[in-house]
Amino acid sequence: DGGITQSPKYLFRKEGQNVTLSCEQNLNHDAMYWYRQDPGQGLRLIYYSQIVNDFQKGDIAEGYSVSREKKESFPLTVTSAQKNPTAFYLCASSDITGTEAFFGQGTRLTVV
Amino acid sequence: AQSVTQPDIHITVSEGASLELRCNYSYGATPYLFWYVQSPGQGLQLLLKYFSGDTLVQGIKGFEAEFKRSQSSFNLRKPSVHWSDAAEYFCAVGYNNNDMRFGAGTRLTVKP
């Protein structure tokens, strides 16, 4: 089945550690996105990528980094510079027209 | 800057009653418009979308939405709500650069 897979579903991290969230899609989509979701704030765009080896910052990119070495993969690293990383993270992808985004099931990151 | 506003944070309706969720956007041109639904701890599922043409669009699960250019609105409606419709609903706008932005969401509670 085609879709987007995020892993892990739950992730715990100690303060000061970097952590990488995985996002893989087999929809042959060119564009991929990372969003952060906090209660009452909807989805906020962290980074997006329209093509391999290229990506753009969204509204809240500080403390995060991404790579896009392969079309199907768009991992997100939450660095120790992110002041409040505990949140629900959603990955999405769309074709080049951007006419519909498909979402993964999310990763809930908790800093302990 | 582009923005999406969902004025209602939380709405409660009785099962069988009609529903309207509001969405307003700000942008110079007509963007792509979407409504997504999210169950707790899950990703987002597309309900319907508007790109052009007929301003009344039909979606899954009996939902419809109407695009009103003069009001920059894209309100979601359902004539008779079912208990299984309880979820969080997000309005989103997309642009031809693949930049998709979401509203803060409206949480729907359905009373028996």
Side-chain angles (χ1 to χ4, degrees), chain A residues 29-101:
Chain A
H29 283 165
D30 290 292
M32 297 187 73
Y33 312 79
W34 275 105
Y35 293 92
R36 170 180 170 141
Q37 187 176 21
D38 297 284
Q41 296 195 51
L43 279 69
R44 292 183 289 167
L45 183 65
I46 305 173
Y47 271 97
Y48 68 103
S49 168
Q50 296 176 299
I51 196 169
V52 173
N53 292 324
D54 187 47
F55 46 83
Q56 288 78 41
K57 293 182 179 180
D59 296 326
I60 56 165
E62 185 175 351
Y64 299 97
S65 66
V66 293
S67 63
R68 187 83 187 277
E69 298 177 1
K70 299 186 296 182
K71 186 175 184 178
E72 57 271 22
S73 178
F74 191 41
L76 174 73
T77 296
V78 184
T79 75
S80 57
Q82 168 50 233
K83 300 303 181 187
N84 185 22
T86 295
F88 190 55
Y89 291 87
L90 285 162
C91 179
S93 71
S94 69
D95 64 21
I96 196 63
T97 65
T99 53
E100 180 177 346

Side-chain angles (χ1 to χ4, degrees), chain B residues 33-36 45-50 57-60 63-65 74 76-77:
Chain B
L33 297 161
F34 308 84
W35 275 99
Y36 285 86
Q45 180 185 22
L46 181 70
L47 286 175
L48 47 77
K49 57 189 176 186
Y50 171 80
V57 293
Q58 304 295 322
I60 63 171
F63 285 93
E64 66 177 26
F74 189 57
L76 181 72
R77 301 194 293 249

Side-chain angles (χ1 to χ4, degrees), chain A residues 33 37 50 59 99 101 105, chain B residues 34 38 42 51 97-98 101:
Chain A
Y33 312 79
Q37 187 176 21
Q50 296 176 299
D59 296 326
T99 53
Q105 294 298 296
Chain B
F34 308 84
Q38 184 184 34
Q42 299 296 313
F51 301 144
N97 64 350
N98 285 345
R101 302 304 174 107

Side-chain angles (χ1 to χ4, degrees), chain B residues 1-79:
Chain B
Q2 304 96 330
S3 67
V4 184
T5 302
Q6 293 180 246
D8 305 304
I9 296 173
H10 183 206
I11 284 182
T12 300
V13 299
S14 297
E15 191 167 16
S18 64
L19 171 71
E20 182 168 26
L21 303 182
R22 296 181 291 164
C23 174
N24 294 92
Y25 67 91
S26 66
Y27 186 59
T30 300
Y32 305 140
L33 297 161
F34 308 84
W35 275 99
Y36 285 86
V37 61
Q38 184 184 34
S39 298
Q42 299 296 313
L44 276 67
Q45 180 185 22
L46 181 70
L47 286 175
L48 47 77
K49 57 189 176 186
Y50 171 80
F51 301 144
S52 64
D54 191 348
T55 56
L56 184 64
V57 293
Q58 304 295 322
I60 63 171
K61 304 185 180 185
F63 285 93
E64 66 177 26
E66 185 172 13
F67 169 59
K68 293 186 177 180
R69 185 189 307 275
S70 61
Q71 298 177 20
S72 296
S73 69
F74 189 57
N75 294 349
L76 181 72
R77 301 194 293 249
K78 187 169 184 177

